[in-house]
Amino acid sequence: RRLMMLGPPGAGKGTQAKRIATEKSIPHISTGDMLREARRKGTEMGKEAARYMDAGQLVPDEVVIGIVRDRLDEDDASQGFILDGFPRTRAQAEALQQMGIELDAVLNIVVSDEAVIGRLGGRISCPSCGAVYHEMFNPPATPDVCDACGYQGLIKRDDDQPAAIKKRLEGYHAQTAPLIAFYQEIGALVAIDGEQSPEEVHDAIAEVIG
Ligand code: AP5
Ligand code: ZN
């Protein structure tokens, strides 16, 4: 299966994509996670990307397209994958097509700006394994400790500050939302109501992808 998650920041793309990837035994390919990893490792690319990310801006297309091309070339992606956070611009969507990738389903997770602000404002993330929690909606079993990997010291992402959240939402509406029409034309788009519980969102996705 070749799946893609579309939707605003904080829609729950990562939360859902991780679970689907495990259930379907396909890799979860998240450009946000890959960029944060490059940044942790301190590579030149990671340092450059960090400047954009902290400001709530998109990293340049060439950089992100290069990362995704390399990742999709790896063996484990040959039987399918779930893309999360890519493509995010028209140029990225066209680059994906030029790589010869046809998506079976584009899951458009629909969530209002108000909900996004509440979710990102309360998000806590595991810097070790990338698991995400929410102070109110989905707290870890033990405060500050990752349920998934046991790491102690959950963090708030640098770009989950109010000014960066606002910028990310603006960027989403200007650059990413137009992809809804793009994928609708191709006939791959499926709308999922993202303002239900994580469990209900998961079930709606599972119904679509079988
Ligand atoms: P990225 O990491 O992709 O961030 P994003 O798109 O802003 O998405 P998020 O990770 O913020 O949200 P999500 O939809 O995954 O929601 P989550 O599941 O965490 O990108 C970060 C940056 O990297 C970008 O700003 C950009 O600079 C750069 N970048 C990445 N890809 C790029 C690209 N292709 N091109 C250029 N630049 C790129 O959930 C959010 C919160 O809500 C959590 O706290 C969660 O617990 C909670 N939650 C989830 N589901 C529910 C629910 N159903 N009900 C209540 N709470 C919920
Ligand atoms: Zn963890």
Side-chain angles (χ1 to χ4, degrees):
R1 284 191 188 72
R2 296 183 163 76
L3 309 171
M4 175 202 154
M5 308 284 286
L6 189 63
K13 304 183 297 293
T15 300
Q16 299 296 335
K18 284 191 180 71
R19 183 160 166 199
I20 298 291
T22 308
E23 288 172 358
K24 300 288 174 200
S25 303
I26 49 176
H28 171 214
I29 301 184
S30 157
T31 43
D33 286 352
M34 289 190 283
L35 291 168
R36 280 185 290 278
E37 196 191 328
R39 167 182 194 164
R40 259 197 310 280
K41 287 184 178 156
T43 66
E44 280 310 310
M45 186 271 284
K47 283 185 221 162
E48 195 204 338
R51 291 204 301 271
Y52 294 95
M53 295 169 80
D54 289 350
Q57 289 168 350
L58 292 183
V59 172
D61 285 333
E62 317 81 74
V63 175
V64 180
I65 290 168
I67 297 178
V68 171
R69 183 179 287 121
D70 289 348
R71 182 66 186 86
L72 289 174
D73 273 345
E74 288 178 35
D75 288 346
D76 67 342
S78 64
Q79 299 306 313
F81 49 76
I82 183 159
L83 277 173
D84 168 10
F86 181 96
R88 247 184 167 87
T89 63
R90 176 88 189 199
Q92 292 176 18
E94 286 170 357
L96 189 65
Q97 282 184 326
Q98 277 155 17
M99 292 176 215
I101 303 284
E102 286 197 19
L103 296 166
D104 297 318
V106 174
L107 304 158
N108 182 34
I109 314 294
V110 182
V111 170
S112 68
D113 286 8
E114 294 69 41
V116 163
I117 292 165
R119 288 184 185 186
L120 295 182
R123 175 164 61 182
I124 33 186
S125 308
C126 176
S128 179
C129 77
V132 293
Y133 304 91
H134 190 281
E135 287 165 354
M136 267 151 54
F137 309 139
N138 177 28
T142 309
D144 213 31
V145 177
C146 180
D147 292 346
C149 76
Y151 181 89
Q152 181 162 11
L154 300 177
I155 55 159
K156 271 190 175 294
R157 262 166 54 177
D158 291 331
D159 59 349
D160 283 344
Q161 305 300 329
I165 293 173
K166 184 162 176 277
K167 269 263 174 268
R168 286 157 68 197
L169 267 171
E170 286 167 8
Y172 166 77
H173 288 295
Q175 292 171 278
T176 309
L179 294 183
I180 296 171
F182 179 90
Y183 285 109
Q184 213 151 24
E185 266 169 44
I186 295 172
L189 194 86
V190 186
I192 304 281
D193 175 5
E195 292 200 30
Q196 317 174 71
S197 71
E199 201 57 38
E200 288 167 321
V201 176
H202 168 267
D203 292 349
I205 293 172
E207 199 168 309
V208 169
I209 63 177

